[in-house]
Amino acid sequence: MCLVPASQPLKVGRQSQLRASSSFASSTMEQRQSITERCPHLHAPIPTSPYPPSPVHFTAAPLLCGAKWKLCPSSSSTTPSKRRRKQSCRNPRRNAMARSSACEVGTRSSAPSTVRGQLVFRRRVSRKLVFYELEVQEGEGASHGIELCIKASDGMIEERVKHCRDQLKLGDVVVVVGAMEESGRTLRVREVDVVQPWKEAHPHEHFLPKRILQHTENDDTDEKNEEVAGAGVCKFFLNTGRCSAGETCKFLHTNDAVEKRAFIKQRMEAKVALSDNPHKDEAHSKRKRAKVFVDWLVDTFGSSRLSMGTGVLDVAGGRGNLAFELFTLRGIPCTTIDPREQKFTRRQRRTLAKNPDAARRGAPPYLQRLFGESLWEDEEHRALLRNCSACIGMHPDEATEAIVDFSILYSKPFAVVPCCVFPRLFPERVLHGKHVVTYDEFVKFLALKSGGSVGHLQIHGLSKVVYCLE
């Protein structure tokens, strides 16, 4: 929505718009600064809000789908640009939907509102738009719900919306500043301040989402059941036994074992069909990925080479499945480096009970440390790291690039099977001028950075291995 004071004459020109923007920025700086100081971890620099909190009467001019509008000094109406007119002719259906949305947006009030409540439900529409349901407590245990709308065009940039979406958790008690629509149902969010995080007040308890607002949907039960039956099975309810959407979920909630097996089989077949793994027809299950990776290491590097020096470094090995296969079962020296505590799995204990040689070797060496520069420069573990034969990792999460960096720095062979990309934790990763976001981009990034090669393991799922023999 574009708001213009009706009592002042309108001027067509960029300078007048800049002066109005500067005037508003100075009048609201104190309010913005106070909110930012209370919650610095949720606030990033954002542009000046286009909705100045002033008691002066305003004439609202709706902004359709981000189009540019020309201010007309002789009338309160607005005229879209020529480019927008051409787009409207090309897609009249989308233009009609935009008009409908603009009419709804035009009903909101410009007066600022501040509310305090608990986030109880989230509905993400896109990376630029997300809705929350806020439960506001009243006297004597009563409460009512308000819908929060966090949108990139409502005085927020896209990165700010993304930051709010990632930081706000269900169950958090927040203070929200925004513009309330005339309906009193939806609050257009400008600032959010978390005053009581759920995880701090309930560290060992998971918040169960709930819907407190009534939704205008088709109440015809027969039509709803037909729609749900045709949509398929809800994967969230199938895996966890609950779904945050509740009764409003368009997918089927069922505990039938036959339907669960059929759903899993269908998803597996779809993933295999889309996979670019040349071994997908003969791939093993994820349960055997440690054995498959070790077989590949022995075939590629050779047992004698892997046994040189202090042996293999298994970075972020978790339970030590790779080290167990290398050291305990095959006698190849291997040390697991992971900040978590070492534990044997039930399958490993059974293997030790049946295999005398493995029982004699026992558990592989374990170093409970984070794998980073502080460890690389530690004199206590200098010999272990500098004399290793290779550095490996099976789905090592955040330590994936650290394995490659260590191998490049000390000229060590490596082999890593990437999994999660974590683009927000590593914004400095750039491939061909673009931020690395997807799995395939991450694999190419690692290969180009190290000058290594890319292979495939005979396993389902994320099976690409980036490796370098020198």
Side-chain angles (χ1 to χ4, degrees), residues 436-457:
V436 176
V437 176
T438 66
Y439 171 76
D440 291 332
E441 292 174 350
F442 189 33
V443 172
K444 294 178 181 179
F445 170 81
L446 295 175
L448 289 176
K449 183 176 184 178
S450 62
S453 305
V454 179
H456 290 270
L457 301 180

Side-chain angles (χ1 to χ4, degrees), residues 1 3 49-51 63 100-115 128-132 134 146-156 176-192:
M1 179 190 303
L3 299 175
S49 172
Y51 312 116
L63 185 63
S100 177
S101 301
C103 293
E104 296 177 0
V105 173
T107 61
R108 63 173 178 241
S109 172
S110 61
S113 300
T114 302
V115 294
K128 299 181 181 180
L129 177 62
V130 60
F131 292 92
Y132 287 89
L134 185 72
I146 295 178
E147 183 180 55
L148 304 180
C149 176
I150 303 179
K151 190 176 181 181
S153 62
D154 286 350
M156 287 189 175
V176 186
V177 178
M180 181 69 72
E181 293 186 355
E182 292 181 358
S183 62
R185 171 189 172 92
T186 303
L187 182 71
R188 302 277 175 166
V189 177
R190 299 177 188 172
E191 302 288 348
V192 184

